[in-house]
Amino acid sequence: MGPVSVWQWSLWGLLLCSLCLGSPTPSTAPEKRAGSQGLRFRLAGFPRKPFEGRVEIQRAGEWGTICDDDFTLQAAHVLCRELGFTEATGWTHSAKYGPGTGRIWLDNLSCSGTERSVTECASRGWGNSDCTHDEDAGVICKDERLPGFSDSNVIEVEHQLQVEEVRLRPAVGRGRRPLPVTEGLVEVRLPDGWSQVCDKGWSAHNSHVICGMLGFPSEKRVNVAFYRKLRKRAAKASARRSKPLGRPVTKLKAKPKTRMGRGPIKRLLAQRQQHSFGLHGVACVGTEAHLSLCSLEFYRANDTARCPGGAPAVVSCVPSPLYAASSGQKKQQSKPQGEVRVRLKGGAHPGEGRVEVLKAGTWGTVCDRKWDVQAASVVCRELGFGSAREALSGARMGQGMGAIHLSEVRCSGQELSLWKCPHKNITAEDCSHSQDAGVRCNLPYTGVETKIRLSGGRSRHEGRVEVQIGGPGSFRWGLICGDDWGTLEAMVACRQLGLGYANHGLQETWYWDSGNVTEVVMSGVRCTGTELSLDQCAHHGTHVTCRRTGSRFTAGVICSETASDLLLHSALVQETAYIEDRPLHMLYCAAEENCLASSARSANWPYGHRRLLRFSSQIHNLGRADFRPKAGRHSWVWHECHGHYHSMDIFTHYDILTPNGTKVAEGHKASFCLEDTECQEDVSKRYECANFGEQGITVGCWDLYRHDIDCQWIDITDVKPGNYILQVVINPNFEVAESDFTNNAMKCNCKYDGHRIWVHNCHIGDAFSEEANRRFERYPGQTSNQII
C-alpha cells in the first residue's frame, strides 16, 4: 500500500457546514411541479445521509419545519417527491436529526400519499402550530431520484463549500508507521479536493473533535517545536534551491545530528509549495461530533495569501487499548480502573450496538427519549472509540430484556461517562424495549479488511476465505485449513471483512473455485468470536498442519448483516422449578432419547423411579433475524415416540454443577420442535411444527417448553444433598449463528437437602455485574459442554 492508504476515511458522507455557519445562502430552486406554489424544500440536520434528514420548507422567504404530530409514512411519501426522490422508506419523530429553527410551518399534517404537493394535504394551516422544535419531523427517502430532477439536496453555503471528510497525513515515518495513524497534518476534503487547515488559533478542542471523527477517544499535545524545526529546515532547503547559479553560497555551521532525514523535509517542502490551505478560523467547543458543527471559514477563490505566519494544523490522537497494540505504541502501565458500567450489544460491526448500562449490579437498557448524538458520543468515547457517527432510536440494534434503567439522557458532550449526564430514572410503564437506544461510533482505520478476501461465492457475502501473509515485497494470498473451522471463526472472518455476522462457517468449499490460489497458509484457527481479525485468533503459526489436504477442504463463510439472538427467561426457570419422582414405567420414551442419567440403564425396569428436577424454559429471539435450524428439513429426524421431527441434534444443555464447575448431573434436549409459541403484540407467528411445518423462532417471539413435557428436566437421582449451580445453555455447540453468544448461558444457585430443592438468583450469564458474578465460581460455563 502507498502512503495514501493509511489515511483515515470518515463514514459521515456529505455533512452540512450551515449547521455551524448560521443561515445558509438560498440555493437555486429546482423547477417545481404544479401545486408547489413557490415553496422550496430541503433536508437538514445531523448526522444524516443525503437522502434523509429534518424536513424544512421555505415559504415567503422564511425557512421552517414540520411538527411530527399525526405525521405518517404517507406524508413522508409526498415530501420525498417534493424533494426529488421517488418515495419514502421511513420517517422520524422527536427531532431525531436535531431541532430546527424559525417557524414551524405545518402541524397535524395528514396526507393520503397520492397528493402531488404537500399543499394538497390537510393540516392546521400554515404557521399554526402548538409544537416545539423538539418535535420536528424527518423523512428517510429511497435513494433514487425522480427523472429530470437535478437538485443536489445539499443546503448550499458560500461557494457551495462543505467539509466532506477528514484525514491525518503523516509528516514523518511515511509507510513505516503501522496503522492506525495517530498523528499527522489535518486535511479536509472539499468539493475541489483535499486541503490543509491553517493552524492559526488552533486549540485542543479542535484536536479533540478531529480525533473523535477518526475513531480516537482523546487527543494529546503535539511536539510543536519538532514540527517548527522541520518547517525551518524545509524553508532553508527551499531558499537554497531558489538561489541562481553562480552566486556564492554562505556555508552553514554544522549542527548536531538529528533523526530527521531528508524524507520528512521533502514532504513538508512539497506541501509548502502546493499552498493547499482550504480552511481557517476553526473554533470548536470540543463537544461537537463532527468538524462541520464547529465555527470555521473557507478561503475564497481569489485569496492570494493563505495562512500568513501560520502552518498546517497538526493533531496527535490517543488510541484506546483495543487499538494501541496495533499502532506499535508503547503500552502504558494500566491503572486499576473501576468496573465497566456501559456496554454495547447486538451490533453487527465493532463500535455499534444497543446501549446497556449497569445499575445496582444489573445490566439494563436506555430509553431513546431525547437520545441524541451528544449522548451517543459520550458512550462511544467512554468505550474507547471516537465520537458517534449516529445516535440510534427505536431498538434499531435489537430489543433488550429486563430492566430499562435510564430515560431522557441529556449530555453536553463533555462528560466522561453516560452516568455523569442528567437523566431520569424510569419504570416499566414509562418506556418499552421497542424504544431501546443504540449508537454507531467512529472507528480508527486499521486496514485489517485488506488482509482478507472471499472468492468463488455467488455474492460478496459468501465464498472461500483467503488471507494475505508475508512481509513487504513478498505478500501472497493463501487458504485456511477447514479443520475445526466453525461458527466462531466465521464470525471473526465476517467481522474483519466488514460484512457483519456469519450465517455459516464451512469446512468444505470445493464448489467455490478459488482460481489460482491453492496453497493452504493457515491452520488450527480457534477463535473466541470477539476478535477483530483472524490474526488475533490462536492458530498454528507458520507450521501448517491439516488433516484433510487439498483446496477442497478449506474454510469458507456465508455472512449476513443480521443474526438471531436467543435468551432464556431466567425468572420463569426460578418460578417453575420443582422435584418429581417419576415411575420408570412412564420413562421408556425418555430413555430412548437419552434424557436420563447413565445409571438408569442398570435400573430394574419397569420398577422403581427416577428423581427429576423439572422446570419450564421460555426461549426468546431478541435478535434481528429469525432463528432457523442449521439442517434443512430433508435431514430432520422423525421420532415416533413423541410424534415430532428433530431439527437439531442438541438444542440446549441442562446441567447441575458444583460451585467449582464439576458436572454432577446433566440433561439435554434436542429441538423437539422449534416454533413460535407466543409473540409480542405487533408480531405474527411464522413457525409451527404441526404437519411437518417449518421450524424456527421469529424475531419478537418465544418458544415455550413447559415443565410437564418429556425431557424438560435433569435426572438428579444420583445427586447428593448440597449446594449446586443449575446451568442451562442454549445452542451450546454454536450450530446456529447468533449476534451474541455471551447471553446463551443461564445460571441459578441451588440448594438440595435430599428431599426438597431451592432454586434462586437465576440470571443470564451477562446480566449481572462482575461483583455479583463472583458469587458463582468463575469457570467458562458457556463452554463447559464443548469438546475441546
Side-chain angles (χ1 to χ4, degrees):
M1 296 185 294
V4 177
S5 64
V6 301
W7 297 337
Q8 164 69 40
W9 295 77
S10 171
L11 300 175
W12 289 75
L14 296 175
L15 286 164
L16 310 176
C17 275
S18 61
L19 291 168
C20 57
L21 293 174
S23 300
T25 302
S27 58
T28 305
E31 184 178 347
K32 304 302 293 183
R33 296 171 297 285
S36 292
Q37 298 183 356
L39 302 176
R40 296 180 61 218
F41 299 81
R42 70 186 183 188
L43 292 175
F46 177 86
R48 70 176 190 88
K49 298 176 182 177
F51 49 85
E52 65 178 352
R54 180 179 64 249
V55 180
E56 296 190 350
I57 305 176
Q58 187 186 53
R59 185 174 187 268
E62 184 178 356
W63 286 98
T65 62
I66 301 176
C67 179
D68 61 12
D69 289 353
D70 297 333
F71 200 90
T72 63
L73 185 62
Q74 286 69 34
H77 282 311
V78 177
L79 288 165
C80 283
R81 289 196 294 270
E82 294 272 26
L83 289 157
F85 297 96
T86 56
E87 61 180 331
T89 61
W91 65 278
T92 66
H93 58 87
S94 304
K96 175 184 175 181
Y97 300 101
T101 57
R103 301 280 293 275
I104 298 178
W105 279 121
L106 294 173
D107 190 5
N108 298 111
L109 183 66
S110 177
C111 304
S112 67
T114 60
E115 294 86 353
R116 297 183 62 191
S117 169
V118 73
T119 58
E120 300 175 14
C121 300
S123 69
R124 296 181 59 167
W126 289 97
N128 184 10
S129 172
D130 59 358
C131 299
T132 67
H133 282 295
D134 285 337
E135 301 171 84
D136 284 344
V139 295
I140 305 169
C141 303
K142 185 177 181 180
D143 193 12
E144 182 178 317
R145 282 292 184 179
L146 291 170
F149 200 98
S150 59
D151 184 54
S152 64
N153 187 33
V154 172
I155 302 177
E156 297 172 356
V157 294
E158 192 173 9
H159 303 298
Q160 302 183 11
L161 292 177
Q162 60 272 335
V163 176
E164 298 179 1
E165 296 177 22
V166 174
R167 69 187 182 190
L168 291 184
R169 181 174 181 175
V172 294
R174 201 165 183 173
R176 297 190 301 271
R177 299 188 67 177
L179 297 176
V181 174
T182 59
E183 182 172 312
L185 309 181
V186 179
E187 294 191 339
V188 296
R189 187 162 73 88
L190 304 177
D192 56 350
W194 288 96
S195 298
Q196 296 171 350
V197 181
C198 181
D199 71 347
K200 294 187 68 175
W202 190 265
S203 69
H205 294 315
N206 299 346
S207 298
H208 191 68
V209 173
I210 295 293
C211 289
M213 291 177 62
L214 298 179
F216 303 108
S218 60
E219 78 293 340
K220 64 180 180 180
R221 295 185 62 179
V222 177
N223 186 355
V224 179
F226 170 79
Y227 285 93
R228 187 179 295 121
K229 187 181 297 184
L230 207 59
R231 287 197 298 269
K232 286 182 178 178
R233 295 186 62 182
K236 289 181 180 179
S238 176
R240 287 197 297 270
R241 290 186 180 187
S242 63
K243 290 183 178 179
L245 295 175
R247 288 188 62 182
V249 179
T250 305
K251 194 170 183 180
L252 297 175
K253 293 183 180 180
K255 291 188 176 181
K257 292 183 179 180
T258 67
R259 295 185 178 181
M260 286 183 285
R262 294 183 178 180
I265 296 176
K266 286 183 178 179
R267 281 192 291 280
L268 280 184
L269 182 60
Q271 292 158 8
R272 184 184 181 90
Q273 292 171 342
Q274 289 171 4
H275 299 293
S276 58
F277 292 102
L279 204 63
H280 69 104
V282 179
C284 300
V285 177
T287 60
E288 299 87 349
H290 195 278
L291 187 63
S292 291
L293 295 175
C294 301
S295 173
L296 47 82
E297 296 181 58
F298 295 94
Y299 282 104
R300 299 177 183 272
N302 59 357
D303 281 343
T304 55
R306 298 202 168 190
C307 199
V314 180
V315 166
S316 182
C317 304
V318 179
S320 69
L322 186 64
Y323 297 99
S326 60
S327 67
Q329 298 191 3
K330 293 181 180 179
K331 290 189 177 179
Q332 309 245 340
Q333 287 292 337
S334 57
K335 298 179 181 178
Q337 307 220 351
E339 189 171 29
V340 175
R341 299 187 67 193
V342 178
R343 69 185 184 188
L344 299 182
K345 287 284 188 177
H349 305 279
E352 70 174 29
R354 177 179 63 253
V355 179
E356 295 189 355
V357 294
L358 185 66
K359 180 180 180 182
T362 304
W363 287 96
T365 60
V366 178
C367 184
D368 63 6
R369 290 180 185 170
K370 298 187 178 179
W371 184 252
D372 57 19
V373 73
Q374 279 74 32
S377 291
V378 171
V379 169
C380 290
R381 292 185 187 272
E382 184 176 0
L383 293 172
F385 304 109
S387 52
R389 233 174 353 111
E390 192 173 358
L392 304 172
S393 59
R396 290 267 301 278
M397 289 296 168
Q399 296 187 23
M401 192 172 183
I404 302 174
H405 286 327
L406 302 179
S407 180
E408 297 188 26
V409 180
R410 303 296 277 175
C411 301
S412 68
Q414 298 175 337
E415 296 86 354
L416 297 179
S417 171
L418 189 68
W419 284 102
K420 301 293 184 182
C421 301
H423 59 269
K424 289 185 178 180
N425 295 324
I426 193 166
T427 63
E429 292 76 22
D430 295 326
C431 201
S432 68
H433 282 296
S434 63
Q435 298 169 269
D436 283 343
V439 297
R440 285 196 178 102
C441 305
N442 285 317
L443 305 180
Y445 177 73
T446 60
V448 293
E449 71 277 7
T450 64
K451 299 177 182 179
I452 186 173
R453 68 187 184 188
L454 300 182
S455 66
R458 297 161 295 180
S459 71
R460 71 183 189 93
H461 287 86
E462 68 177 23
R464 182 177 289 176
V465 180
E466 297 179 2
V467 292
Q468 188 183 74
I469 65 168
S474 61
F475 289 118
R476 71 184 191 277
W477 290 93
L479 305 174
I480 300 176
C481 177
D483 292 348
D484 302 320
W485 181 267
T487 301
L488 297 181
E489 290 72 32
M491 294 283 277
V492 176
C494 290
R495 182 180 299 118
Q496 184 176 353
L497 286 159
L499 299 178
Y501 304 109
N503 271 347
H504 298 288
L506 307 170
Q507 297 184 358
E508 293 188 31
T509 53
W510 52 269
Y511 39 82
W512 284 331
D513 181 18
S514 62
N516 297 326
V517 179
T518 59
E519 181 188 7
V520 176
V521 298
M522 185 179 288
S523 64
V525 180
R526 298 300 298 270
C527 304
T528 64
T530 60
E531 296 87 351
L532 297 178
S533 68
L534 290 175
D535 288 339
Q536 297 177 357
C537 300
H539 58 87
H540 289 158
T542 57
H543 180 65
V544 176
T545 302
C546 203
R547 293 192 302 271
R548 300 179 298 174
T549 59
S551 59
R552 135 181 214 125
F553 302 106
T554 53
V557 295
I558 300 176
C559 304
S560 172
E561 284 292 328
T562 58
S564 58
D565 186 18
L566 298 187
L567 268 79
L568 187 68
H569 187 15
S570 55
L572 185 64
V573 174
Q574 183 168 315
E575 294 166 4
T576 58
Y578 65 95
I579 287 176
E580 179 192 12
D581 289 332
R582 193 165 183 81
L584 279 172
H585 68 83
M586 301 178 67
L587 294 172
Y588 279 104
C589 192
E592 181 183 319
E593 295 193 2
N594 293 321
C595 295
L596 300 175
S598 57
S599 62
R601 298 170 189 164
S602 58
N604 186 22
W605 292 79
Y607 308 105
H609 67 273
R610 304 297 294 182
R611 176 158 290 185
L612 309 175
L613 171 59
R614 310 197 70 145
F615 52 88
S616 298
S617 63
Q618 190 179 96
I619 300 168
H620 294 247
N621 182 4
L622 299 182
R624 290 186 285 156
D626 294 351
F627 183 91
R628 299 297 310 279
K630 182 177 182 179
R633 60 191 302 164
H634 64 280
S635 61
W636 296 352
V637 179
W638 173 258
H639 279 245
E640 184 69 33
C641 190
H642 289 129
H644 55 247
Y645 282 91
H646 285 197
S647 57
M648 294 175 65
D649 290 336
I650 297 293
F651 180 51
T652 51
H653 277 161
Y654 303 148
D655 299 319
I656 296 292
L657 311 165
T658 64
N660 66 5
T662 303
K663 187 188 303 182
V664 296
E666 65 180 0
H668 83 278
K669 182 158 63 67
S671 57
F672 286 359
C673 67
L674 287 170
E675 66 178 1
D676 297 326
T677 306
E678 294 183 59
C679 299
Q680 297 172 2
E681 291 183 6
D682 55 344
V683 180
S684 300
K685 297 179 182 180
R686 299 182 59 186
Y687 305 104
E688 61 178 341
C689 303
N691 302 318
F692 196 32
E694 289 291 341
Q695 295 192 23
I697 306 176
T698 304
V699 175
C701 298
W702 55 89
D703 191 1
L704 174 63
Y705 290 90
R706 288 175 51 88
H707 58 83
D708 54 0
I709 66 174
D710 267 3
C711 294
Q712 187 58 38
W713 63 56
I714 301 176
D715 185 350
I716 61 171
T717 305
D718 305 319
V719 175
K720 298 177 181 179
N723 293 319
Y724 297 97
I725 294 173
L726 165 62
Q727 178 179 269
V728 179
V729 185
I730 309 168
N731 191 18
N733 297 331
F734 314 113
E735 288 188 37
V736 179
E738 298 184 49
S739 62
D740 186 2
F741 288 108
T742 63
N743 56 17
N744 281 28
M746 185 222 69
K747 295 184 284 187
C748 308
N749 286 121
C750 285
K751 181 178 179 60
Y752 176 51
D753 67 359
H755 306 283
R756 296 166 295 176
I757 195 163
W758 293 266
V759 177
H760 60 99
N761 208 18
C762 293
H763 66 283
I764 300 299
D766 65 347
F768 283 0
S769 66
E770 290 295 323
E771 181 179 352
N773 275 328
R774 290 191 190 103
R775 300 169 189 168
F776 296 86
E777 179 62 25
R778 299 300 302 280
Y779 64 95
Q782 181 183 345
T783 59
S784 63
N785 294 294
Q786 275 190 284
I787 299 174
I788 303 300

